[in-house]
Amino acid sequence: MIGGSGFLGREVVRQAAAAGHHVTATAHSKPGGRRLDIRDRAAVARLVGEIEPEVIVNAAYQQADWVTTAEGAMHVAAAAALARARLVHVSSDAIFSGAAGSYDETAVPDPITPYGAAKAAAEVAVRGSVPEAAIVRTSLIVGKGGSPTETFVRELATGTRSGALFTDDIRCPVHVGDLAAAILELTAEPGVHHVAGSDATSRHELGVLIARRAGLDGKALPTALRAASGLPGAVAVRLDCRATRSRLTTRLRGAREFLAT
């Protein structure tokens, strides 16, 4: 598990271990696994050669670092190809501009941010090295209280942090447990997969749901418009997951369900 110390990585490791798999997790700056810098191609190759994994799941990224997100994914893919390991690469809805109403698995990436461009480049590198890899595109990951989104909402609601939640920024939030289970199901399913929640919600509506579950006042959350903020990024990206859902036994719940009090 590359990126095993992250919010998603920890859940993938937990579920895989619970299912009886032997799991090696890596981490870069956080505790929780074997130290690995995926920017170092030789280090990645050495570790994969030592472990000889059957499956590699790569959930590592740094939003502001092209080398980690794009080139690091290339290094992992090259090592997976050499070891003949199955590869699951976790990608993002950030590869889309939001110009379309929704995006299915056949949609061509059209990123408008450096992070989105890095994730799109990573997909190309992965497919080039491991054509049979599973590429899992997802959206905002929440669900157990420890995600950056949930932490931000709690701090906003309690007045310990300034900021606002956009009412026009639409995504399809997914529960981390659902996403991890789907990733483990898709280890033997090559191709592009969209794994996101069934509800399209604004960041503000998502924040209200998170605050209510935590017993906080959702009305205290400040609002704003992304379109008026000047910040880069798509306004609305809806992932169409119907094709992937038809192949999964894991049910991808919507935020209105998994965040219900």
Side-chain angles (χ1 to χ4, degrees):
M1 177 71 220
I2 308 294
S5 63
F7 183 60
L8 172 61
R10 292 193 303 271
E11 180 63 14
V12 173
V13 168
R14 186 193 69 78
Q15 290 194 23
H21 301 293
H22 177 73
V23 185
T24 298
T26 75
H28 179 216
S29 58
K30 298 177 182 178
R34 298 259 319 247
R35 190 70 59 194
L36 178 67
D37 185 345
I38 63 171
R39 297 172 298 182
D40 186 336
R41 186 183 185 96
V44 175
R46 282 195 302 271
L47 183 61
V48 171
E50 173 191 336
I51 297 172
E52 297 183 336
E54 293 182 9
V55 178
I56 299 173
V57 177
N58 179 24
Y61 73 96
Q62 287 288 340
Q63 283 204 356
D65 184 0
W66 173 279
V67 177
T68 295
T69 303
E71 295 183 23
M74 177 178 65
H75 299 160
V76 173
L82 188 62
R84 297 188 176 182
R86 297 198 300 273
L87 175 62
V88 181
H89 174 75
V90 180
S91 190
S92 167
D93 60 7
I95 66 170
F96 297 121
S97 69
S102 66
Y103 296 86
D104 67 13
E105 288 85 350
T106 66
V108 177
D110 60 341
I112 56 175
T113 64
Y115 173 62
K119 292 298 277 188
E123 289 192 11
V124 173
V126 167
R127 286 198 298 268
S129 296
V130 189
E132 65 277 14
I135 294 175
V136 176
R137 296 171 180 159
T138 192
S139 190
L140 292 176
I141 307 172
V142 294
K144 287 195 171 184
S147 69
T149 296
E150 290 162 285
T151 299
F152 180 59
V153 168
R154 288 194 301 270
E155 291 174 349
L156 279 181
T158 55
T160 59
R161 184 168 179 172
S162 61
L165 295 172
F166 296 126
T167 57
D168 60 342
D169 187 333
I170 309 299
R171 296 294 188 273
C172 298
V174 64
H175 191 285
V176 66
D178 297 349
L179 175 57
I183 285 172
L184 293 175
E185 276 197 65
L186 294 169
T187 56
E189 292 283 343
V192 176
H193 309 284
H194 283 187
V195 180
S198 56
D199 295 336
T201 69
S202 71
R203 289 185 185 261
H204 177 255
E205 181 185 359
L206 178 64
V208 170
L209 292 170
I210 291 169
R212 287 176 178 170
R213 186 189 61 177
L216 300 171
D217 183 8
K219 295 179 181 178
L221 296 171
T223 63
L225 294 173
R226 173 178 277 279
S229 70
L231 294 173
V235 172
V237 178
R238 298 171 175 86
L239 291 184
D240 182 341
C241 304
R242 287 175 292 181
T244 299
R245 282 196 187 104
S246 69
R247 294 191 290 272
L248 290 173
T249 59
T250 299
R251 191 167 69 88
L252 301 176
R253 296 168 291 166
R256 298 182 185 95
E257 176 182 351
F258 66 72
L259 289 172
T261 53

